[in-house]
Amino acid sequence: MHLAHRTWRTRLGATATAALGALLLTALPAQQAQAATTLTNPGFESDATGTATPTGWSTYSAAGQNAASFTENGGSGGNRRLTHWSASAYKVETYQYLTGLADGTYTLSARVRSSGGQNSTYIALRNCGGAEQRTDLPPTADGAWIRVVTSVRVSGGNCTVSLNSDAHAGEWANFDDLTFAPGATGLSIKGGDLSTLPKNEAFGATYSSAAGQSGNALGLLRGAGMNYVRLKVWVNPADGYNNKARVLAMAKRAKAEGMKVLIDFHYSDRWADPGQQNKPAAWASHSYSQLRTDVYNHTYDVLNALKAQGTTADMVQIGNEINGGMLWPEGSTDNWTQLAGLLTSGAQAAKAVSSSTQIALHLAKGGDNGGTRWWFDQAVARQVPFDVIALSYYGYWHGPLSGLQANLDDVSARYGKPVLVAETAYASTLANGDFLENNIATSGQLAPGYPATPAGQAANLRDVMNVVEAVPGGRGLGIVYWEPAWTAVKGSGWDPQDPASGNAWENQALFGYDKKLLPAASWFAHR
């Protein structure tokens, strides 16, 4: 990524480089850009390669390391970019002071790349009349540019656009194509799938705050900023969990905490995902026509019972990770007309209970734009009703953040619908908490740039949230963290037909092996 930087620095030669560095260090502190109401030189195109203080910008380093900020070739949208880099550890800020702004909310957008590993590297809006707002740069091992945004309420007419790095030797960050304009960003859904929490509690799971104070997992997560609870529904599960009665009880708890509820219909007695979409035993011999009635009646029954107890569902998934369809074989994507009929039956039942309940259609493989387009093109062509495009995204399975961003941006615009990352998670450790090997158990399985540590888990959740927040037009609804409270407890295993089955997920929960809430949970409170 910073190869272009190495190229120009090599060409300058050691003598020229030293002279340039001395010139920059003596000249920069006095070069304060003139304030304006709009960003000057937002793409860094006005200056030659190697310019440490680009036109319109100022550079500051308390340690006299201004030369760690410079322009170079290889921009996102043009020929130049701003780079932060040094052969030694450095702290540097490149900033621009805006004034004469009307009071209101403004959004800063930037294309960024980063080596990762820095103490911090971020874009920020500060001195704007309120608390500083910032967004961290994600590590971009694939070299792709990521768009990030941050917004702030301006009062008093002034605001500083700030690009910051506090880095170790050799770590780099790129910035390009900045915009600053009226508008707000943020996420309305910061949720968690707590489907397994009742079973975990029944088998003795306990939870505590980061400080070690005991509490119930739902309340602790709500206190951290979680505002949505996702609950899966199985038709007749062998262990009696995730059925209608359990979902009703959990919905009451969630609503009592002031949280909204997303109901995730699997239309199965057990897990439904891209590899398995098995009919419930009670429906096994039913014809396609009867299956449509089954879907309608089951959906209506659960949602109407929720409404009757005063916990109307705010959103409903008609199927879970249905890339290949549902209720196989009748509802397979090999027969899209029948799949569309089943989906429509579920959506119609949900709207019959409550017209305000949003209908989500949910696929896995959040980084697969071609597959997502193909699937939703088929659904739209058959007039399947839906309000939200929901995708699962696990960076260790579904590719880099750049792929997720490209997909979210494209399908939200293509279909004119908001998007939701309905499942995401990451490991805080590679240690195993029970006898069953975890889904993510080795360093080779991890997403590049995110170690399996509490800090790595937090950074991964932060960066997924930031990508969703950056979806244009405010169409990024938010994220749902999958099973943050499913810790390792004997008896609370993955297989509803096998009480002795273990948990392959405990290292991705948001409670550590010491039962304490992990740092990643703090991101639920972010914007």
Side-chain angles (χ1 to χ4, degrees):
M1 66 21 240
H2 59 279
L3 292 180
H5 157 59
R6 290 185 180 277
T7 300
W8 75 257
R9 186 175 285 272
T10 300
R11 284 201 303 265
L12 282 172
T15 302
T17 301
L20 175 61
L23 174 63
L24 294 175
L25 289 175
T26 56
L28 284 176
Q31 295 184 1
Q32 170 81 30
Q34 183 176 0
T37 57
T38 58
L39 277 175
T40 300
N41 192 20
F44 308 101
E45 298 295 315
S46 300
D47 308 279
T49 294
T51 302
T53 302
T55 301
W57 295 86
S58 299
T59 306
Y60 174 75
S61 172
Q65 298 168 303
N66 298 54
S69 170
F70 53 88
T71 58
E72 63 177 342
N73 292 333
S76 171
N79 296 321
R80 301 278 191 277
R81 67 189 181 216
L82 180 77
T83 290
H84 288 173
W85 178 90
S86 177
S88 58
Y90 64 94
K91 293 182 181 180
V92 70
E93 177 190 16
T94 309
Y95 65 96
Q96 191 167 148
Y97 179 63
L98 301 177
T99 191
L101 299 169
D103 286 355
T105 304
Y106 291 80
T107 293
L108 173 67
S109 171
R111 292 278 182 177
V112 300
R113 303 191 300 187
S114 167
S115 63
Q118 295 95 333
N119 296 317
S120 63
T121 180
Y122 56 92
I123 66 170
L125 295 171
R126 57 182 182 81
N127 303 326
C128 304
E132 175 181 314
Q133 295 295 314
R134 64 172 64 175
T135 296
D136 297 87
L137 273 61
T140 50
D142 62 341
W145 291 89
I146 297 287
R147 186 182 62 261
V148 295
V149 298
T150 193
S151 63
V152 73
R153 174 74 185 177
V154 173
S155 60
N158 303 320
C159 195
T160 300
V161 173
S162 179
L163 314 176
N164 295 264
S165 291
D166 176 356
H168 307 103
E171 294 169 347
W172 55 270
N174 296 154
F175 307 86
D176 201 6
D177 297 339
L178 281 78
T179 65
F180 180 83
T185 67
L187 299 177
S188 60
I189 296 177
K190 292 169 281 189
D193 188 316
L194 294 175
S195 299
T196 308
L197 178 59
K199 187 174 182 180
N200 240 43
E201 291 172 330
F203 284 93
T206 58
Y207 305 90
S208 67
S209 69
Q213 183 175 357
S214 296
N216 76 83
L218 184 62
L220 291 167
L221 290 165
R222 175 56 174 156
M226 184 181 285
N227 64 5
Y228 235 98
V229 173
R230 181 181 187 244
L231 302 169
K232 67 173 171 277
V233 185
W234 289 340
V235 176
N236 188 25
D239 62 1
Y241 288 91
N242 303 303
N243 62 7
K244 174 184 170 182
R246 302 279 186 177
V247 167
L248 289 171
M250 271 300 293
K252 273 189 175 180
R253 290 176 61 183
K255 293 281 187 173
E257 292 281 355
M259 305 167 84
K260 293 187 176 182
V261 172
L262 163 57
I263 301 299
D264 174 16
F265 284 97
H266 282 225
Y267 302 111
S268 181
D269 290 336
R270 53 187 293 121
W271 303 99
D273 54 46
Q276 53 189 350
Q277 294 284 339
N278 300 314
K279 286 178 284 190
W283 305 357
S285 63
H286 291 185
S287 66
Y288 166 70
S289 177
Q290 182 60 46
L291 287 172
R292 284 202 64 172
T293 301
D294 292 333
V295 168
Y296 187 98
N297 290 344
H298 172 62
T299 306
Y300 188 94
D301 178 52
V302 173
L303 296 181
N304 195 50
L306 285 164
K307 180 180 179 180
Q309 70 171 12
T311 60
T312 300
D314 300 281
M315 187 181 295
V316 171
Q317 280 181 220
I318 307 301
N320 186 76
E321 294 190 331
I322 51 177
N323 302 60
M326 65 185 196
L327 294 166
W328 289 346
E330 287 82 1
S332 165
T333 51
D334 290 337
N335 191 333
W336 248 104
T337 298
Q338 290 191 171
L339 173 57
L342 293 168
L343 294 171
T344 299
S345 289
Q348 289 175 338
K351 291 294 188 181
V353 173
S354 171
S355 61
S356 64
T357 297
Q358 291 187 295
I359 307 300
L361 299 180
H362 174 218
L363 304 184
K365 304 179 181 179
D368 179 12
N369 182 237
T372 306
R373 267 193 175 211
W374 174 82
W375 198 96
F376 277 95
D377 280 353
Q378 302 298 319
V380 169
R382 291 166 178 81
Q383 299 182 316
V384 176
F386 67 99
D387 303 305
V388 175
I389 295 171
L391 300 171
S392 295
Y393 175 74
Y394 300 98
Y396 44 76
W397 288 332
H398 300 150
L401 282 170
S402 57
L404 174 66
Q405 181 161 83
N407 195 21
L408 294 178
D409 290 358
D410 177 67
V411 299
S412 64
R414 183 178 180 84
Y415 307 107
K417 302 289 186 181
V419 289
L420 170 69
V421 172
E423 293 184 22
T424 193
Y426 202 74
S428 67
T429 178
L430 292 178
N432 199 355
D434 65 5
F435 64 88
L436 182 64
E437 183 179 51
N438 291 326
N439 287 331
I440 302 303
T442 67
S443 59
Q445 295 174 286
L446 298 173
Y450 299 101
T453 63
Q457 180 189 55
N460 186 265
L461 177 58
R462 174 199 73 197
D463 293 344
V464 172
M465 293 174 74
N466 288 343
V467 163
V468 178
E469 185 181 15
V471 174
R475 290 191 293 265
L477 290 179
I479 64 95
V480 177
Y481 197 96
W482 199 74
E483 293 286 8
W486 192 10
T487 54
V489 181
K490 186 177 180 180
S492 183
W494 69 273
D495 188 348
Q497 295 177 303
D498 180 8
S501 62
N503 181 356
W505 199 259
E506 75 273 9
N507 66 327
Q508 297 191 69
L510 292 183
F511 292 89
Y513 293 174
D514 60 0
K515 318 302 181 187
K516 293 180 181 180
L517 192 65
L518 288 163
S522 66
W523 286 101
F524 291 122
H526 183 63
R527 277 202 296 276

